[in-house]
Structures are given as structure tokens and as C-alpha cells.
Amino acid sequence: MDLSVWIALVALFIAGGLTPGPAVMLVMSTSLRYRAPTALLPALGVAAANLLWISLAAGGIAAFAAQFPILLNGLKIAGICFIAWLAWSLAMADPSSPHASAKDAPPRGKLFARGVGLQLLNPNALVFFGLLLPSYFDMTHPVVPQALIMMVTITVCEMTGLTLYAWLADGMNHHFESPAFTRWFNRGAALAMLASALFASISTFTPHT
């Protein structure tokens, strides 16, 4: 992979990783409730899902999406429904007990699976990996080495960003002694999660012709 292409890729995913979206909101809400180390489980799930997205990008998902726009739009709708459910759960969470300990958290596998499910159905991820990432492949060179470089690069960028958000949220825990503050923060985070997914879906909607 050309160095300039790699630098552009890093810039793209650092910007994406630092932009509050569904994945960031999931990690932050988990950290606020169960502390930062526990929040790394859904973060790892997000990173694992990214590996599948990169594999699909290497396999030509952009061309497939252009050929079957109805399927692409259907995936976006499914993603919005899933994220809407997560946002509703966050908005309706009991604000009187935000400081549950890690031992009270759901099973590790469930937290990891929640991160995987979120990212696989995340319209933001569909836009990044399905529509943007394929343009970073140079088809005059072997695809597999490029995909491996992308997997390592994107995983490091994603986990760095999500880890920073997890510890940032952990450091904000003292603000959540107020149930009113917690309630409004949860609602704001839920709204940001849903708005981000809706924006990514609507802005890249493909009309059926």
C-alpha cells in the first residue's frame, strides 16, 4: 500500500473514531454504568465487526451495493431499527442507579456481541466500509496484503478512539450522582446515537430505478 494512501486511511478513521456515533455512545454509556474496563468489551466487538467489513470491502461490496440498491437500503433500515432499540434502552435506563459495578454487568459475551451487532448494522459503518473504503484499494496490487494492513490500522485507530471515550466517560462518573443529570445525559446520548445513524442513511440513500 502506498504511504500516502495509508496516511489518508489513518486520517479518515481517526476522524471517524473521534466523531461521536452509535459505537462511541454504546461504549460511553457502558463505561458510565459499569466503568471503563467493562466498556472495552463492546469496543472489542466493534473492532471485530470491522474485520468483517474490511473483508467485504476487499471483496467488492461497493460494486455489489451499486447493483442491488434495494438490499443496501434494506440494510440501512435494519441498522436504524437496531440502533433505535439501543437508543430507547439507553434513554429509558433507570437514572437512579448509574454506578453499578462491573460484577453487575451483563455477561462478557453479551457485551461483546452487542458491539458486534451494533457495528454490523451501523449505517455509519456501512457508509465508511461499503462506500468509502473500497476506493483505498489499489487493484493493480494484491488485495490480501492491503486488506491486512487496513485491518491492523483500522483496529488500532478504532480501539484507540473508543478507549479514550471509555476512560473519558469513566472520569465523568462523579457528575452522575444526580439522577436528573443522568436522565438528560442518557437521552442526549440516545438522540445523538440515532441522529448519527439516520444522517448516514439518508445522506447516502440510493433511489431504486
Side-chain angles (χ1 to χ4, degrees):
M1 177 179 287
D2 187 81
L3 179 60
S4 61
V5 175
W6 181 81
I7 292 174
L9 180 70
V10 171
L12 173 68
F13 280 90
I14 286 180
L18 294 178
T19 302
V24 168
M25 293 298 104
L26 175 64
V27 169
M28 288 189 72
S29 62
T30 304
S31 178
L32 287 168
R33 189 161 182 81
Y34 305 114
R35 309 307 298 265
T38 303
L40 295 183
L41 292 169
L44 287 170
V46 170
N50 285 345
L51 301 182
L52 177 57
W53 275 117
I54 297 168
S55 300
L56 291 173
I61 187 176
F64 180 83
Q67 189 174 358
F68 300 99
I70 293 179
L71 180 58
L72 178 65
N73 291 329
L75 289 173
K76 291 178 183 179
I77 292 171
I80 289 173
C81 291
F82 181 77
I83 290 172
W85 172 75
L86 287 177
W88 176 261
S89 300
L90 176 59
M92 295 295 104
D94 181 9
S96 64
S97 57
H99 297 292
S101 63
K103 64 181 178 62
D104 299 318
R108 294 180 179 181
K110 186 174 181 179
L111 288 171
F112 179 84
R114 188 172 293 181
V116 172
L118 173 82
Q119 193 69 348
L120 289 180
L121 292 172
N122 185 357
N124 300 50
L126 183 60
V127 171
F128 269 108
F129 293 100
L131 304 180
L132 295 179
L133 189 63
S135 64
Y136 286 79
F137 283 94
D138 183 352
M139 293 307 172
T140 64
H141 292 83
V143 172
V144 173
Q146 296 179 72
L148 292 176
I149 292 172
M150 288 183 179
M151 286 179 179
V152 173
T153 301
I154 292 171
T155 298
V156 171
C157 291
E158 186 80 72
M159 287 303 301
T160 299
L162 293 179
T163 299
L164 287 174
Y165 273 113
W167 285 104
L168 174 64
D170 200 331
M172 293 170 59
N173 262 300
H174 64 281
H175 291 294
F176 288 79
E177 295 174 358
S178 166
F181 181 88
T182 302
R183 181 184 298 109
W184 286 108
F185 179 90
N186 286 347
R187 291 176 179 177
L191 182 61
M193 180 185 291
L194 185 58
S196 175
L198 284 170
F199 176 79
S201 297
I202 294 172
S203 62
T204 58
F205 180 77
T206 306
H208 175 57
T209 55

